[in-house]
């Protein structure tokens, strides 16, 4: 009887173990099915390595705008969410724009580049129209219709990049037509033919005519923006234009000739207005005028110093309590440094650098020259604008008002930058489709 009970217990244990094994296997199968089903929801050619960091840094920017602005918004507008709501709307519009540009074939921009230039020029002129143009702090940089406002110069920067990429890629196409058939066949398979100076099999150099056309549009935009006045955007666009010309194939001697008048004009522009001279003096020695021109830079440095290694914590900045002017826009990086410290600031810069690298990578892998140059131009603009903003905040260059991409307050800036990322994602998608069809 005892022996029978022991055998019965063993059989029960064995059956229980089998049941547990079956349950575990079913769970594994369920998890695998869940993973497979989730992977099916992802579009086949979507570059998540770029999209996820962009969404993360943009959401972080919306939160930082709230952190940096809630006190001032409460004091001036009796609404702590005043700036946050506006930035959130800009983020939602940016998501819609990113989705639209992702699904729209980027080659459309090449076909309608002149139309885009015309629209951008028209919007830049509207800021001078009474009733439409909005003047703040002595500058007419915005247009407003009802409760909607936008800054046309943000659109003009990307309109120029599209046009410059189109002109440069057409120059390359013209040279490609004269290539021998043997060179063309090697180029189709990604080989570098002998005797060529580039991986695409031709020597890419912009002609004088193409160079002049790019400079005409870029210089025209700079002139209109300077009349607003907005010297910081002019500097950003000018630097972007110079670097893009180098990447697009302009000869070094031509770039050298262009650089000479710039070295003369820029100093004249810096001293042409009294407030710019005051900013230069404050940059050299901000502590000479701690309650006047040097006040903003001193408060920015205090904010960065207060953060220490790990920061004071989210929402715990003290400089935003009406000590640091424009803490939600031009000097928001100071608040990031104060609340997240050196470690947090470096992580943020690493993320921004990773995004720029990913955009360059998409450009390098693109089989279409227009798509390649478009990615290069977008990456260069993000890099230059970020460097200039952080240089101002840290006192490395004279103070000038320039937003930090994806972070600073400004719905137009955020929406346009996110739309540009959608263009990059579409270029990557088109390139992957072409590669998979060949394979």
């Amino acid at each position: 009887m005892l022996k029978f009970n022991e055998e019965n217990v063993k059989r029960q244990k064995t059956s229980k173990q089998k049941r547990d094994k079956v349950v575990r296997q079913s769970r594994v199968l369920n998890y695998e099915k869940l993973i497979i089903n989730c992977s099916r929801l992802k579009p086949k050619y979507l570059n998540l390595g770029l999209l996820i960091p962009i969404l993360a840094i943009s959401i972080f920017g919306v939160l930082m705008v709230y952190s940096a602005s809630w006190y001032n918004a409460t004091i001036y507008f009796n609404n702590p969410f005043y700036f946050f709501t506006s930035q959130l709307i800009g983020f939602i519009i940016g998501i819609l724009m990113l989705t639209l540009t992702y699904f729209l074939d980027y080659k459309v921009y090449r076909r309608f580049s002149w139309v885009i230039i015309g629209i951008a020029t028209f919007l830049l002129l509207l800021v001078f129209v009474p009733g439409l143009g909005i003047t703040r702090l002595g500058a007419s940089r915005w247009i407003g219709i009802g409760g909607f406002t936008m800054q046309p110069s943000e659109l003009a920067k990307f309109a120029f990049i599209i046009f410059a990429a189109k002109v440069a890629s057409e120059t390359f196409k013209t040279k490609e037509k004269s290539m021998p058939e043997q060179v063309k066949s090697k180029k189709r398979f990604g080989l570098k033919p002998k005797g060529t100076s580039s991986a695409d099999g031709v020597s890419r150099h912009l002609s004088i005519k193409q160079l002049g056309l790019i400079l005409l549009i870029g210089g025209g935009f700079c002139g209109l923006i300077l009349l607003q006045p907005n010297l910081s955007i002019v500097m950003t666009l000018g630097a972007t234009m110079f670097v893009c010309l180098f990447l697009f194939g302009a000869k070094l001697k031509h770039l050298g000739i262009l650089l000479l008048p710039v070295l003369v004009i820029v100093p004249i522009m810096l001293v042409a207005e009294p407030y710019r001279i005051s900013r230069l003096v404050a940059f050299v020695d901000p502590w000479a005028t701690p309650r006047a021109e040097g006040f903003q830079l001193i408060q920015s440095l205090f904010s960065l110093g207060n953060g220490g290694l790990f920061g004071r914590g989210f929402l715990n900045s003290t400089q935003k309590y009406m000590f640091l002017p424009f803490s939600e826009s031009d000097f928001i990086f100071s608040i990031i440094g104060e609340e997240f410290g050196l470690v947090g600031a470096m992580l943020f810069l690493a993320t921004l650098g990773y995004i720029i690298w990913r955009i360059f990578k998409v450009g390098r892998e693109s089989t279409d020259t227009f798509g390649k140059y478009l990615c290069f131009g977008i990456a260069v603009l993000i890099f230059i604008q970020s460097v200039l903003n952080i240089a101002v905040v840290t006192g490395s260059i004279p103070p000038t008002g320039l937003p930090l991409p994806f972070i600073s307050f400004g719905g137009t800036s955020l929406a346009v930058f996110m739309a540009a990322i959608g263009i990059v994602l579409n270029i990557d998608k088109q390139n992957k489709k072409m590669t998979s069809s060949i394979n």
Side-chain angles (χ1 to χ4, degrees):
M1 187 71 179
L2 182 62
K3 196 172 185 179
F4 175 78
N5 290 336
E6 288 178 355
E7 290 178 357
N8 191 27
V9 169
K10 286 182 180 179
R11 281 197 299 269
Q12 288 178 355
K13 284 183 178 180
T14 304
S15 62
K16 184 181 180 182
Q17 288 174 353
K18 289 182 179 179
R19 286 197 305 270
D20 291 343
K21 185 177 179 181
V22 171
V23 170
R24 285 195 299 270
Q25 288 178 345
S26 66
R27 286 177 179 174
V28 171
L29 292 174
N30 288 336
Y31 292 147
E32 289 177 352
K33 289 179 181 179
L34 179 63
I35 294 172
I36 293 172
N37 291 333
C38 290
S39 64
R40 287 174 180 171
L41 296 175
K42 170 188 170 293
K44 187 176 180 181
Y45 301 108
L46 182 59
N47 189 339
L48 291 179
L50 176 60
L51 178 62
I52 291 176
I54 285 295
L55 294 178
I57 203 172
S58 299
I59 294 171
F60 175 71
V62 174
L63 296 175
M64 285 309 304
V65 166
Y66 172 72
S67 176
S69 67
W70 71 265
Y71 183 78
N72 288 342
T74 303
I75 297 297
Y76 292 110
F77 302 101
N78 197 29
N79 179 9
F81 299 100
Y82 179 83
F83 293 100
F84 170 79
T85 303
S86 179
Q87 190 74 354
L88 183 60
I89 292 173
F91 174 72
I92 294 172
I93 294 174
I95 291 291
L96 296 175
M97 295 296 293
L98 186 151
T99 304
L100 175 64
T101 53
Y102 171 71
F103 286 105
L104 182 65
D105 190 342
Y106 71 93
K107 295 182 181 68
V108 170
Y109 309 115
R110 176 167 53 194
R111 192 180 313 145
F112 295 100
S113 60
W114 279 107
V115 176
I116 295 171
I117 289 295
I119 293 173
T121 304
F122 177 71
L123 292 175
L124 285 174
L125 291 172
L126 282 182
V127 302
F128 304 109
V129 177
L132 287 178
I134 298 175
T135 302
R136 297 172 184 168
L137 301 176
S140 300
R141 303 173 183 175
W142 303 267
I143 56 176
I145 302 175
F148 173 78
T149 61
M150 71 168 295
Q151 190 172 355
S153 58
E154 295 292 339
L155 178 63
K157 291 182 295 186
F158 289 99
F160 166 77
I161 289 172
I162 291 172
F163 181 80
K166 178 247 187 185
V167 171
S169 63
E170 285 188 346
T171 303
F172 169 70
K173 277 186 172 183
T174 303
K175 292 183 178 182
E176 189 181 31
K177 289 179 182 179
S178 61
M179 292 167 54
E181 190 61 35
Q182 184 181 3
V183 174
K184 289 183 180 180
S185 62
K186 288 187 177 183
K187 181 176 177 294
R188 290 191 194 102
F189 292 98
L191 300 176
K192 180 180 177 180
K194 294 181 179 179
T196 59
S197 60
S198 73
D200 291 319
V202 294
S203 176
R204 293 185 191 151
H205 287 302
L206 295 179
S207 67
I208 295 295
K209 180 180 178 182
Q210 307 294 339
L211 185 64
L213 191 57
I214 293 174
L215 290 174
L216 176 65
I217 297 300
F221 278 176
C222 287
L224 289 174
I225 296 171
L226 191 61
L227 291 175
Q228 295 179 358
N230 195 341
L231 182 60
S232 58
I233 296 295
V234 172
M235 291 173 58
T236 303
L237 183 55
T240 301
M241 179 166 52
F242 189 84
V243 177
C244 283
L245 286 174
F246 172 74
L247 294 176
F248 293 174
K251 294 182 179 180
L252 292 179
K253 64 178 181 180
H254 293 159
L255 293 176
I257 294 172
L258 289 174
L259 191 59
L260 291 176
V262 171
L263 295 176
V264 176
I265 294 172
V266 170
I268 295 175
M269 292 170 59
L270 290 175
V271 299
E273 296 288 344
Y275 75 91
R276 293 175 188 161
I277 299 176
S278 300
R279 287 183 176 182
L280 284 173
V281 173
F283 165 69
V284 174
D285 186 10
W287 282 270
T289 54
R291 296 183 179 276
E293 288 81 7
F295 178 80
Q296 190 173 31
L297 179 55
I298 291 173
Q299 298 304 317
S300 176
L301 296 176
F302 279 164
S303 183
L304 292 170
N306 286 341
L309 192 60
F310 297 104
R312 303 171 65 92
F314 181 59
L315 298 176
N316 292 329
S317 166
T318 56
Q319 292 300 106
K320 65 190 175 189
Y321 295 117
M322 303 185 72
F323 289 104
L324 179 61
F326 303 107
S327 59
E328 75 283 349
S329 55
D330 302 337
F331 282 79
I332 197 168
F333 184 72
S334 299
I335 305 300
I336 293 175
E338 185 176 7
E339 294 190 349
F340 297 96
L342 178 63
V343 173
M346 295 305 294
L347 285 174
F348 165 76
L349 293 179
T351 304
L352 194 58
Y354 174 77
I355 289 170
I356 295 170
W357 173 77
R358 293 288 303 200
I359 297 172
F360 267 115
K361 185 173 182 290
V362 171
R364 284 179 58 85
E365 294 175 352
S366 177
T367 56
D368 175 53
T369 311
F370 174 67
K372 182 189 300 290
Y373 289 165
L374 204 52
C375 288
F376 287 173
I378 292 170
V380 166
L381 177 60
I382 296 173
F383 173 77
I384 288 177
Q385 188 161 326
S386 301
V387 168
L388 289 178
N389 176 274
I390 294 167
V392 168
V393 168
T394 56
S396 302
I397 62 173
T400 181
L402 193 65
L404 184 61
F406 305 106
I407 302 295
S408 292
F409 173 72
T412 304
S413 176
L414 180 58
V416 173
F417 271 105
M418 293 186 73
I421 296 300
I423 295 175
V424 176
L425 292 173
N426 182 264
I427 293 170
D428 186 62
K429 179 177 71 172
Q430 299 289 351
N431 187 59
K432 287 177 179 177
K433 278 184 177 180
M434 183 177 295
T435 304
S436 63
S437 64
I438 293 173
N439 295 334

